[in-house]
Amino acid sequence: MEQVSMVLEPVRAFLIQLGEFLPKLIIAVIILLAGWLLAKAIKLAVVKGLRSINFNVVTERAGIDNFLQQGGAKTDTIDILGVLVYWLVILAALMIAFNSLGLALVTELIGRIAMFVPKVMVAVLVLVFGAYFSRFIDNAISTYGKNVGLEDAELLGRLARYAIMVFVVLIALEQVQVATELVRLSFLILLAGVVLALALAFGIGSQNRAAEMLERWWPKQTKKTISDKE
């Protein structure tokens, strides 16, 4: 009899643990199902809300949607933001579900991933508004330069646009914390190389070209107007 009890004791302990675990598992499944439904509802609300305020117009004028389409993507920036919000809610539901099961390590790992999603969302918004602002500055400089008679107005506008976009990309990478020091050093090295190349070109072999460019950027009519005022 004692031998039978010794054999059945592990089975009895297993059944007790299973009886304690099953309610937790059912609760975790319910949490995941509710989180999935909530994630779909919030994603739909975010996408419709952004389209209702014409945020897609900003992304189109910024050139982000065109860039995605050229890369083969069938979604736009608003859909990407909706997907990020969706996964943020899903990860939050997973955290609650695993926490209810007592899996602290898994909960901590998912929490770290969930903290990364808002940073990606901020980086996307930085890229959108930064690209929109850079195009606005490009158009403003080009229009003003043409009005005052600059022949290289479009070139100056493009240079300003690309310079702004470099800083915007750096800010976006800073948000997601992707090799920030390496990117920063690479940018400084590249900038120093460009400045050195321009200095050598203008200082050694392109003095006449530099004079011509300055003459075009600052027309004689402008100089004459300033001298008349004096």
Side-chain angles (χ1 to χ4, degrees), residues 63-81:
I64 302 297
D65 291 344
N66 187 28
F67 176 78
L68 292 174
Q69 292 174 0
Q70 290 178 352
K74 297 181 180 179
T75 59
D76 56 6
T77 308
I78 293 180
D79 291 330
I80 291 176
L81 291 174

Side-chain angles (χ1 to χ4, degrees), residues 70-212:
Q70 290 178 352
K74 297 181 180 179
T75 59
D76 56 6
T77 308
I78 293 180
D79 291 330
I80 291 176
L81 291 174
V83 170
L84 290 173
V85 172
Y86 171 84
W87 280 108
L88 182 62
V89 178
I90 290 293
L91 291 172
L94 286 172
M95 288 178 59
I96 298 173
F98 282 113
N99 190 43
S100 66
L101 295 174
L103 301 175
L105 292 177
V106 179
T107 303
E108 183 180 357
L109 177 61
I110 296 175
R112 292 180 180 179
I113 299 174
M115 291 296 293
F116 182 73
V117 176
K119 296 179 181 179
V120 177
M121 295 172 63
V122 173
V124 171
L125 293 176
V126 168
L127 287 175
V128 170
F129 288 107
Y132 182 82
F133 178 72
S134 67
R135 289 209 168 195
F136 172 77
I137 295 298
D138 183 359
N139 294 330
I141 293 177
S142 299
T143 303
Y144 176 78
K146 290 178 181 178
N147 291 335
V148 299
L150 291 178
E151 295 184 7
D152 295 324
E154 293 184 358
L155 175 62
L156 292 175
R158 289 288 179 87
L159 290 176
R161 175 182 169 187
Y162 293 148
I164 294 173
M165 281 305 302
V166 168
F167 286 104
V168 168
V169 171
L170 288 176
I171 295 173
L173 292 176
E174 183 74 23
Q175 291 297 320
V176 296
Q177 298 178 352
V178 177
T180 53
E181 290 298 327
L182 178 61
V183 173
R184 220 176 269 151
L185 290 174
S186 300
F187 171 72
L188 291 176
I189 292 173
L190 179 62
L191 180 62
V194 171
V195 172
L196 179 61
L198 290 175
L200 291 174
F202 281 104
I204 298 177
S206 302
Q207 295 181 1
N208 295 331
R209 176 60 179 167
E212 293 176 359

